[in-house]
């Protein structure tokens, strides 16, 4: 009953989205307002149907209705309700269903916000969105059906993968990831519309930019949440292993960041429209590639869902989307008008180009590294690996170069600069760089790359602070009070600019924190008996006892460890090994004590309460919490940039049609 | 007496040989005699950890032998440590595992054959990208002229610049900033512009 | 953003254009990417092919379960050898145990069967063998050095070695009687 209702909803969603896509393309060609209205209605209907299907599934999961195939697959009577709710996205079919929900919400908001604007673009954009919606509905109706009827419903189910029940971050990481991934569909549609029209006007750049920024924020948070989750759950003490699925989430982030910068250049100078649009299209295409990598079973990964028939279908859609994008670019790119000119390399324009070069290079490198084993397999039949050592070797120079660029770029002026201007812009922040390097060296940093990262970080920090201060100083020079100056410069008028610098500050902090945490940690493998004491870093660990713990859905072997530092008692940490009923292998949960400057990380390697022995991996990881904090800063900066700044209202200037001689457009900070 | 001593000596030698063999296979048969010095203490730990980071744990997904918590990985770590202590260098130890598990077990693609592609591709990409940018900056369409226009080339309220793309730009600015439809100044007797 | 009044003026796009360079470059990249992904579909990335097939089997000298002198690979030269890595905690190993025992019994002295215990304890193995019976010895490999030398990544894994000591086949799944017969043919023509 529930299963059939779900199937009907999905089928309707498929029909509605297909109809909406066709209506949108027709409305775009004919320019009919009625056609646009119909398209909008179909878009809202698609969203409503997806929401209903998801609601039905959540109800079935909570009610433990094992007649629904997905519930029989991941549901269980012995799991708490919040786990049952979260299992909506824990396995393949449910995750596609959730994808549909997020897409419906995005399409609704984007359509509604623009229902009276950009009439020459919107029907096309909506059509493209609904075409993507059609594909995902098709997946749900065909290869990845969550609502199959189970003829003899079992009394109980296996529950979701235990790794996914281990930590609260599992609740938040996938939704953010979907908000980021699915969100890239919206700018894809907008960019497609621009290419179909052969125009990308200034007015349309704004929604394109904003609808790229929103998923970018979610994706930034999602990637860092994934790293945080891996750190807190997997027990090897690191947060990024360049696993194919981690790379899948990272690739669209890289191109989207490049696109955001390119869009800024397009907005300022009216150049590089085709390139910006290419990057936007690439960001979406990489999310489809990423979905394929996660679900097809082709890649050997920590993260892979089970192999299924869904792979070829997604590959087919990827092929379609790729060909569509290439065709659009080939036919549309020459129709874009170039309205301005770039300055040469030694200006901020040139630095934007350098930014794009580095981000695209980064994308290319990560993509090549991830796909290369497949190439070798297909051509030579040899199985080989491209692992962390390769990616680290490539990522470090690029990351450090980007860190420097975040300082040099904003320091340089927009136009062609004289030698004196360049000296005045580029030399003073060296002080910040030297200071940071000196502090690092004093604290024991000896690795060359880490010192370089620290010095570049200090340089960039000084530039960023200086740029944040400049508009405030200018207003103060004109007589404003400090508070008023800050409010006006950073909150009222220059919000986008200030927000961008906040994001840069967060990014610089993240790069430096990653550099320090990867190179300045200590780690020890300890074999302890009950009562033994050991030291790692500045911490003294005492293994008190190993005990067994029973919980409703799992049993655990817990090691109680007293932690002290410098004589001060810091409490008890309890890393554990969990044994879930449905799994043969136990799953370890590390214990992490986070403080401002470092984490104490304890992970159980082997434990025996009967003998009172413990094999413990003890690590001190510096500056890890700063990575999570930096990501929050980036996200907040991004959100601040989304809120529109109060610019010069055209209506205020219009009264009396002033002549150009008497009116002045205020200078931007 | 001499016979007894000889027998004892041979037995001791055999026992020593057996102990040196461990469970049977001599790694030197696979990768040649140890090329480096025997290691011990912190130097041994550091070297073993470094090499363990370059080996892929065959039972886990993508983790290195150094990072993996599985029993197989800890056995492999112990084997790495034994080989390093005996003086085998990094390449020999990696080759030893490669003999058993294939190239798959090396996390860093070794520099042979087609693997050169993956190591050189980023450098090629960088050069290609830089070349594209250099070409783009040189194209007259995109790069600004050396000197900005002066005098007659600047637009007045009733004139437009000669350059058509510049003229379009000026028209659009006027349209947006002043609300002049089409960017043309409204005639004094014309009805007021639409409120937008 | 203000909306434009009245019905939208549809701007007919400027003359249709086709940038051949973009088209060509794009299609080349797309074709390459799709080809790589397509060719790898259906392949199981978790199955690792053994590089040892066709090469000399690594030497070993392991003590048998229950004590006694170590069994060396040298001493087994001259007869085909079936080397089966297994453990008592491994359900598929228990499945194939019957096949192994009966085949060993049937072939008698023609083919030597040996089990190697992987990540398990001697007393548990002895209990298992007493319960399920055995027709060939099992050896202990406590530090897994031999498992590593053979490239074992899980259990069960079975190596079929010919009389000259060259590995002719490796099977990484539980052996059915048919698979057993097929692989025995490779070492005992």
């Amino acid at each position: 009953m529930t299963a059939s209702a779900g199937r009907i909803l999905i089928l309707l969603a498929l029909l509605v989205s297909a109809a909406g896509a066709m209506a949108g393309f027709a409305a775009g060609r004919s320019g009919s307002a009625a056609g646009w209205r119909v398209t909008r209605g179909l878009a809202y209907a698609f969203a409503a149907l997806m929401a209903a299907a998801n609601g039905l599934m959540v109800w079935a999961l909570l009610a433990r209705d094992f007649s629904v195939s997905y519930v029989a697959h991941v549901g269980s009577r012995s799991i708490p309700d919040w786990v049952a709710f979260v299992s909506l996205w824990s396995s393949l079919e449910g995750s596609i269903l959730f994808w549909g929900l997020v897409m419906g919400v995005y399409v609704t908001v984007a359509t509604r916000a623009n229902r009276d604007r950009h009439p020459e673009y919107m029907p096309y954009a909506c059509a493209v969105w609904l075409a993507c919606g059609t594909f995902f509905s098709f997946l749900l109706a065909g290869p990845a059906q969550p609502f199959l009827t189970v003829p003899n419903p079992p009394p109980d189910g296996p529950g979701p993968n235990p790794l996914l029940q281990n930590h609260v971050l599992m609740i938040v990481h996938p939704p953010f990831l979907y908000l980021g991934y699915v969100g890239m569909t919206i700018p894809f549609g907008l960019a497609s519309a621009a290419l179909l029209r052969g125009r990308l006007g200034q007015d349309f750049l704004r929604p394109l930019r904003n609808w790229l920024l929103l998923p970018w924020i979610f994706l930034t948070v999602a990637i860092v949440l994934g790293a945080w989750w891996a750190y807190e759950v997997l027990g090897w003490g690191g947060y990024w292993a360049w696993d194919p699925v981690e790379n899948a989430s990272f690739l669209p982030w890289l191109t989207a960041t490049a696109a955001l910068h390119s869009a800024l250049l397009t907005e300022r100078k009216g150049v590089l429209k085709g390139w910006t649009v290419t990057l936007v299209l690439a960001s979406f295409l990489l999310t489809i590639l990423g979905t394929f990598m996660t679900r097809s079973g082709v890649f050997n990964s920590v993260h892979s869902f089970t192999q299924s028939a869904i792979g070829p279908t997604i590959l087919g859609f990827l092929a379609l989307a790729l060909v569509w994008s290439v065709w659009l670019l080939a036919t549309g790119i020459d129709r874009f008008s170039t309205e301005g000119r770039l300055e040469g390399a030694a200006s901020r324009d040139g630095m934007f180009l350098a930014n794009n070069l580095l981000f695209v290079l980064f994308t290319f490198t990560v993509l090549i590294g991830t796909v290369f084993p497949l190439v070798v397999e297909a051509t030579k039949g040899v199985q080989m690996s491209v692992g962390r050592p390769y990616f680290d070797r490539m990522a470090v120079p690029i990351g450090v170069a980007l860190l420097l660029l975040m300082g040099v770029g904003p320091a340089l002026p927009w136009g062609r600069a004289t030698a004196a201007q360049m000296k005045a812009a580029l030399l003073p922040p060296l002080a910040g760089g030297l200071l940071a390097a000196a502090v690092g060296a004093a604290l024991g940093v000896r690795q060359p790359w880490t010192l370089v990262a620290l010095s570049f970080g200090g340089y960039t920090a000084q530039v960023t602070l200086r740029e944040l201060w400049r508009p405030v100083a200018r207003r103060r020079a004109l007589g404003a009070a400090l508070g008023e100056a800050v409010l006006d410069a950073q909150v009222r008028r220059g919000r986008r600019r200030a927000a961008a610098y906040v994001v840069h500050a967060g990014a610089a902090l993240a790069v430096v924190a990653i550099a320090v945490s990867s190179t300045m940690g200590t780690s020890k493998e300890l074999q302890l008996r009950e009562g033994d004491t050991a030291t790692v870093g500045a911490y003294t660990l005492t293994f008190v006892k190993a005990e067994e713990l029973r919980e409703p859905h799992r049993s655990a072997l817990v090691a109680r460890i007293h932690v002290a530092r410098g004589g001060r008692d810091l409490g008890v940490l309890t890393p554990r090994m969990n044994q879930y009923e449905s799994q043969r292998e136990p799953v370890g949960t590390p214990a992490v004590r986070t403080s401002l400057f470092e984490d104490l990380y304890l992970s159980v390697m082997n434990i025996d309460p009967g003998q009172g022995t413990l094999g413990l991996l003890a690590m001190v990881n510096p500056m890890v919490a700063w990575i999570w904090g930096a990501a929050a800063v980036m996200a907040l900066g991004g959100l601040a940039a989304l809120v529109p700044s109060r610019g010069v209202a055209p209506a205020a200037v219009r009264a009396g049609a002033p002549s150009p001689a008497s009116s002045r457009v205020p200078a931007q900070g | 007496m001499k016979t007894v001593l000889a027998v004892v000596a041979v037995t001791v030698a055999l026992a020593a040989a057996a102990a040196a063999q461990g469970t049977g296979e001599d790694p030197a048969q696979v990768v040649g005699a140890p090329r480096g010095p025997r290691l011990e203490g912190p130097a041994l730990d550091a070297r073993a950890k470094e090499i363990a980071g370059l080996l892929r744990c065959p039972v886990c997904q993508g983790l290195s032998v150094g990072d993996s918590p599985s029993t197989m990985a800890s056995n492999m770590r112990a084997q790495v440590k034994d080989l390093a202590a005996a003086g085998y260098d990094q390449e020999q130890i990696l080759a030893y595992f490669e003999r058993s598990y294939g190239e798959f077990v090396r996390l860093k693609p070794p520099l042979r054959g087609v693997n050169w592609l993956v190591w050189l591709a980023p450098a090629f990409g960088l050069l290609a990208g830089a070349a594209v940018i250099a070409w783009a900056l040189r194209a007259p369409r995109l790069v600004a002229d050396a000197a900005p226009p002066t005098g007659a080339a600047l637009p007045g309220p009733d004139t437009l610049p000669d350059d058509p793309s510049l003229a379009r730009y000026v028209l659009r600015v006027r349209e947006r900033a002043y609300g002049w439809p089409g960017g043309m100044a409204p005639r004094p007797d014309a009805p007021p512009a639409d409120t937008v | 953003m203000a909306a434009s009044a009245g019905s939208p003026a549809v701007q007919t796009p400027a003359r249709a254009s086709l940038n051949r360079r973009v088209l060509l470059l794009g299609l080349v990249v797309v074709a390459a990417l799709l080809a790589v992904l397509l060719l790898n579909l259906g392949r199981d990335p978790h199955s690792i092919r053994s590089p040892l097939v066709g090469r000399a089997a690594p030497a070993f000298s392991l003590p048998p379960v229950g004590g006694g002198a170590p069994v060396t690979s040298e001493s087994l030269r001259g007869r085909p050898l079936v080397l089966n890595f297994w453990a008592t905690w491994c359900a598929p190993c228990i499945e194939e145990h019957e096949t192994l025992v009966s085949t060993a019994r049937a072939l008698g002295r023609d083919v030597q069967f040996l089990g190697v215990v992987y990540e398990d304890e001697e007393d548990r193995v002895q209990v298992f063998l007493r319960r399920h019976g055995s027709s060939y010895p099992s050896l202990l490999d406590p530090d897994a050095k031999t498992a590593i030398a053979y490239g074992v990544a899980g259990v069960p894994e079975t190596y079929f070695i010919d009389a000259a000591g060259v590995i002719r086949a490796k099977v990484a799944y539980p052996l059915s009687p048919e698979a057993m017969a097929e692989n025995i043919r490779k070492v005992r023509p």
Side-chain angles (χ1 to χ4, degrees):
Chain A
M1 176 57 209
T2 315
S4 355
R7 286 202 299 280
I8 293 174
L9 286 172
I10 302 249
L11 220 51
L12 286 174
L14 175 60
L15 292 169
V16 160
S17 54
M22 291 190 285
F25 279 116
R29 291 189 61 155
S30 67
S32 143
W36 173 222
R37 218 177 6 249
V38 167
T39 311
R40 290 205 309 273
L42 290 168
Y44 299 148
F46 166 74
L49 286 164
M50 276 297 173
N54 273 267
L56 191 64
M57 179 57 81
V58 168
W59 182 85
L61 283 166
L62 289 175
R64 273 76 170 174
D65 183 352
F66 294 111
S67 71
V68 176
S69 60
Y70 185 68
V71 181
H73 186 54
V74 301
S76 165
R77 292 190 200 283
S78 55
I79 54 175
D81 273 347
W82 68 267
V83 177
F85 176 79
V86 160
S87 59
L88 172 65
W89 53 72
S90 70
S91 193
L92 190 113
E93 296 83 2
S95 70
I96 307 274
L97 188 60
F98 187 60
W99 186 297
L101 171 68
V102 178
M103 183 175 281
V105 171
Y106 262 113
V107 171
T108 303
V109 177
T111 305
R112 197 154 165 76
N114 289 303
R115 65 190 182 284
D116 293 326
R117 305 178 193 173
H118 315 296
E120 69 271 30
Y121 296 107
M122 282 311 297
Y124 277 142
C126 199
V128 171
W129 299 335
L130 288 174
C132 297
T134 308
F135 170 70
F136 284 94
S137 308
F138 172 73
L139 274 184
L140 288 167
Q145 292 189 60
F147 283 110
L148 286 169
T149 310
V150 179
N152 296 311
D156 201 352
N161 188 325
L163 265 182
L164 308 178
Q165 302 177 45
N166 250 355
H167 201 279
V168 70
L169 279 172
M170 189 51 208
I171 310 182
V172 268
H173 164 63
F176 269 100
L177 190 69
Y178 282 99
L179 283 167
Y181 249 39
V182 180
M184 291 297 170
T185 315
I186 306 296
F188 178 69
L190 296 173
S192 297
L195 281 165
L196 282 166
R197 278 280 167 236
R199 280 197 306 120
L200 181 57
Q202 283 290 345
D203 49 347
F204 198 57
L205 258 178
R206 195 141 155 269
L208 182 64
R209 200 193 74 226
N210 285 339
W211 282 105
L212 184 62
L213 183 56
L214 182 62
W216 178 92
I217 296 170
F218 286 128
L219 197 54
T220 309
V221 173
I223 292 171
V224 173
L225 280 178
W228 195 356
W229 177 72
Y231 180 71
E232 296 267 338
V233 170
L234 292 183
W236 57 280
Y239 42 82
W240 193 263
W242 298 104
D243 181 88
V245 170
E246 290 172 338
N247 297 347
S249 70
F250 192 46
L251 287 167
W253 185 88
L254 289 169
T255 51
T257 310
L260 285 169
H261 287 85
S262 179
L264 201 81
L265 204 55
T266 306
E267 192 184 333
R268 270 245 163 188
K269 302 241 164 161
V271 296
L272 296 180
K273 289 183 182 176
W275 176 244
T276 302
V277 159
T278 307
L279 287 172
V280 172
L281 295 177
S283 302
F284 170 76
L285 294 168
L286 286 168
T287 64
I288 302 299
L289 176 65
T291 303
F292 174 76
M293 285 164 66
T294 325
R295 297 166 203 285
S296 65
V298 166
F299 288 81
N300 194 329
S301 155
V302 154
H303 216 152
S304 356
F305 291 94
T306 50
Q307 237 174 333
S308 72
I310 206 178
T313 320
I314 300 184
L315 189 58
F317 180 62
L318 178 63
L320 263 167
L322 280 166
V323 171
W324 163 262
S325 304
V326 170
W327 179 251
L328 276 185
L329 283 172
T331 53
I333 210 169
D334 284 341
R335 293 186 285 164
F336 285 155
S337 58
T338 301
E339 283 133 20
R341 294 163 189 205
L342 284 172
E343 299 297 327
S347 67
R348 205 181 289 193
D349 310 37
M351 293 300 106
F352 270 83
L353 291 179
N355 158 301
N356 268 219
L357 173 63
L358 285 173
F359 271 107
V360 171
L361 179 66
F362 208 167
T363 309
F364 174 68
T365 306
V366 173
L367 186 59
I368 289 274
T370 309
V371 162
F372 196 70
L374 298 190
V375 172
V376 174
E377 173 89 32
T379 53
K380 278 175 61 180
V382 169
Q383 285 169 307
M384 50 88 69
S385 305
V386 177
R388 207 167 140 215
Y390 170 84
F391 289 105
D392 281 350
R393 171 73 67 87
M394 299 297 169
V396 168
I398 299 179
V400 166
L402 281 168
L403 180 60
L404 180 64
L405 200 57
M406 275 195 289
V408 172
L412 289 175
W414 276 104
R416 199 158 290 210
T418 64
Q421 279 175 317
M422 280 180 64
K423 262 175 59 182
L426 293 177
L427 288 185
L430 285 174
L434 282 169
L435 179 64
V439 167
L443 290 174
V445 177
R446 295 288 173 266
Q447 260 97 346
W449 276 115
T450 315
L451 284 170
V452 167
L454 277 169
S455 49
F456 286 178
Y459 186 92
T460 299
Q462 184 164 340
V463 173
T464 309
L465 289 170
R466 184 179 73 186
E467 290 302 309
L468 278 170
W469 179 247
R470 257 195 18 210
V472 177
R474 242 210 316 272
R475 281 160 175 77
R476 291 199 66 202
L478 292 173
L482 178 61
E484 175 63 27
V486 169
L487 263 179
D488 195 55
Q490 317 293 33
V491 178
R492 273 193 234 122
R493 284 182 196 278
R495 180 157 43 217
R496 224 182 98 196
R497 182 181 175 278
Y501 284 117
V502 168
V503 174
H504 272 190
L509 181 61
V511 173
V512 170
I514 290 172
V516 170
S517 65
S518 328
T519 53
M520 297 297 298
T522 44
S523 114
K524 272 194 189 174
E525 285 185 25
L526 304 164
Q527 294 293 336
L528 303 170
R529 306 197 72 89
E530 279 177 358
D532 281 354
T533 302
T535 50
V536 61
Y539 297 90
T540 315
L541 307 172
T542 312
F543 173 36
V544 174
K545 73 191 308 288
E547 52 195 23
E548 200 163 329
L549 207 65
R550 288 243 64 168
E551 287 172 13
H553 56 301
R554 62 183 180 186
S555 67
L557 298 172
V558 181
R560 294 183 67 81
I561 301 180
H562 254 135
V563 177
R565 181 172 62 186
R568 257 184 54 214
D569 181 16
L570 295 176
V572 173
L573 284 179
T574 54
R576 57 204 294 192
M577 276 290 219
N578 300 304
Q579 181 71 54
Y580 290 87
E581 290 163 5
S582 51
Q583 305 256 316
R584 183 190 83 81
E585 295 274 9
V587 174
T589 303
V592 185
R593 186 184 176 278
T594 307
S595 61
L596 184 61
F597 287 108
E598 61 193 9
D599 282 7
L600 174 64
Y601 190 97
L602 301 177
S603 182
V604 171
M605 296 188 297
N606 51 274
I607 182 172
D608 191 342
Q611 306 229 349
T613 55
L614 171 70
L616 185 72
L617 174 65
M619 304 172 76
V620 177
N621 299 321
M623 281 191 92
V624 172
W626 295 58
I627 304 176
W628 322 137
V633 169
M634 288 172 76
L636 288 172
L639 282 174
L642 273 177
V643 181
S645 228
R646 198 196 317 154
V648 179
V653 194
R654 189 152 304 135
S659 69
S662 59
S663 66
R664 277 173 54 239
V665 179
Q668 289 294 313
Chain B
M1 187 57 196
K2 262 199 280 199
T3 339
V4 173
L5 276 175
V7 167
V8 168
V10 168
T11 317
V12 166
L14 279 175
Q21 292 279 39
T23 53
E25 181 180 56
D26 183 4
Q29 306 242 326
V30 183
V31 294
R35 284 203 285 257
R38 305 182 79 95
L39 294 174
E40 51 187 26
L44 173 62
D45 288 341
R47 169 58 71 86
K49 189 166 165 198
E50 190 187 336
I51 299 178
L54 296 173
L55 284 168
R56 182 173 190 164
C57 165
V59 299
C60 344
Q61 322 281 31
L63 281 180
S64 75
V65 159
D67 292 332
S68 166
S70 68
T71 333
M72 175 51 117
S74 67
N75 287 330
M76 284 173 81
R77 282 197 293 271
Q79 176 73 308
V80 166
K81 198 163 175 180
D82 285 349
L83 290 170
Y88 293 95
D89 68 15
Q90 174 172 308
E91 185 53 39
Q92 284 180 306
I93 298 179
L94 292 177
Y96 179 75
F97 283 92
E98 189 177 347
R99 190 271 319 238
S100 310
Y101 289 96
E103 202 179 331
F104 173 84
V105 81
R106 298 178 73 141
L107 281 174
K108 204 165 152 181
L111 290 169
R112 57 174 97 119
V114 70
N115 292 347
W116 279 105
L117 271 176
V118 81
W119 283 105
L120 294 178
F124 280 142
L126 181 62
L127 290 172
V132 167
I133 290 184
W135 171 85
L137 284 181
R138 219 173 315 136
R141 258 180 84 220
L142 278 184
V143 181
D145 296 328
T150 56
L154 288 170
D158 302 316
T159 62
L160 286 173
D162 295 330
D163 184 273
S165 62
L166 205 53
R168 270 207 306 276
Y169 199 43
V170 169
L171 284 174
R172 186 180 284 156
V173 167
R174 288 175 180 167
E175 178 175 26
R176 290 197 60 199
Y178 310 132
W180 295 351
M184 306 304 294
R187 296 192 304 279
D189 56 345
D194 290 323
T195 41
V196 177
Chain C
M1 262 301 288
S4 53
S7 65
V10 175
Q11 312 214 352
T12 46
R15 76 254 176 269
S17 67
L18 182 65
N19 186 322
R20 291 210 157 71
R21 227 176 337 176
V22 167
L23 186 64
L24 199 60
L25 180 65
L27 286 179
V28 163
V29 169
V30 166
L33 180 64
L34 290 176
V36 168
L37 296 176
L38 197 62
L39 286 171
N40 279 277
L41 266 185
R43 186 184 62 85
D44 179 8
H46 302 311
S47 73
I48 315 166
R49 288 187 298 276
S50 173
L52 283 173
V53 173
R55 297 176 60 169
F60 58 83
S61 167
L62 299 173
V65 170
V71 176
T72 64
S73 49
E74 289 294 303
S75 62
L76 303 167
R77 211 45 68 78
R79 269 190 303 158
L81 170 64
V82 176
L83 198 62
N84 170 258
F85 287 85
W86 68 286
T88 60
W89 45 259
C90 148
C93 307
I94 303 175
E95 273 172 44
E96 65 168 8
H97 187 76
E98 178 58 46
T99 309
L100 284 161
V101 166
S102 54
T103 313
R105 202 168 279 139
L107 291 173
R109 294 202 57 79
D110 288 351
V111 176
Q112 174 71 51
F113 275 67
L114 272 183
V116 178
V117 175
Y118 173 82
E119 290 181 15
D120 210 342
E121 289 143 39
E122 189 172 2
D123 27 352
R124 294 178 51 160
V125 170
Q126 284 177 309
V127 166
F128 178 91
L129 290 175
R130 266 198 292 274
R131 254 181 62 199
H132 290 88
S134 180
S135 58
Y136 57 87
S138 269
L139 308 176
L140 292 169
D141 182 23
D143 53 10
K145 283 210 157 118
T146 303
I148 290 173
Y150 274 81
V152 169
V155 280
E157 284 189 12
T158 312
Y159 293 81
F160 293 84
I161 306 166
D162 68 15
V166 174
I167 299 180
R168 290 293 168 200
K170 170 184 167 177
V171 170
Y173 48 82
L175 283 160
S176 64
E178 297 78 31
M180 173 68 83
E182 181 189 328
N183 283 290
I184 291 275
R185 271 196 289 276
K186 294 181 190 166
V187 293
R188 180 180 166 265

